[in-house]
Amino acid sequence: QVQVVESGGGLARAGGSLRLSCAASGTIFSIDAMAWYRQAPGKQRELVATITGGGNADYVDSVKGRFTISRDNAKKTVYLQMNSLNAEDTAVYYCKVSYRLRNYWGKGTLVTVSS
């Protein structure tokens, strides 16, 4: 069983920064892809960024140049550095961990950006 826990959300001002963390725990030998999603009020959940086991990253266009995803395989943790935040980034951010053909989700962490 794999547990996934996000942290680092909170309130930020427009133009500010936040760093999210997502830690996986359990009997895990090698995590495949890790990803961040977000769901804004009244909207569908969207993919924000992904990172493969080899470290290749990809981003949704709206965050390119502002967000950076990274991972620490030894710590089984993925990060999302968010800079130049704007009100449209307000959402609950979820982490997804892919392991042995299954996906595991955290409960999310709320990011609120005030304009």
Side-chain angles (χ1 to χ4, degrees):
Q1 190 71 10
V2 177
Q3 294 80 43
V4 178
V5 179
E6 304 96 337
S7 61
L11 178 64
R13 291 188 176 184
S17 299
L18 283 175
R19 188 192 194 207
L20 305 183
S21 299
C22 167
S25 61
T27 305
I28 308 171
F29 296 101
S30 180
I31 296 175
D32 303 316
M34 306 178 86
W36 286 98
Y37 287 71
R38 67 185 179 186
Q39 187 166 17
K43 294 187 177 181
Q44 292 186 331
R45 189 174 298 189
E46 68 167 348
L47 176 62
V48 176
T50 61
I51 187 166
T52 67
N56 293 316
D58 197 9
Y59 304 89
V60 67
D61 285 346
S62 60
V63 308
K64 284 181 179 178
R66 301 188 298 121
F67 290 10
T68 302
I69 189 171
S70 61
R71 62 190 285 170
D72 184 330
N73 291 328
K75 294 183 177 179
K76 302 172 186 175
T77 299
V78 62
Y79 305 97
L80 187 67
Q81 178 66 44
M82 306 186 295
N83 299 328
S84 302
L85 287 163
N86 57 57
E88 288 69 40
D89 296 318
T90 295
V92 177
Y93 284 71
Y94 298 90
C95 175
K96 185 182 79 174
V97 172
S98 300
Y99 178 67
R100 293 189 175 179
L101 302 180
R102 295 187 63 181
N103 294 320
Y104 300 88
W105 293 86
K107 294 183 178 181
T109 184
L110 176 63
V111 171
T112 303
V113 182
S114 63
S115 56

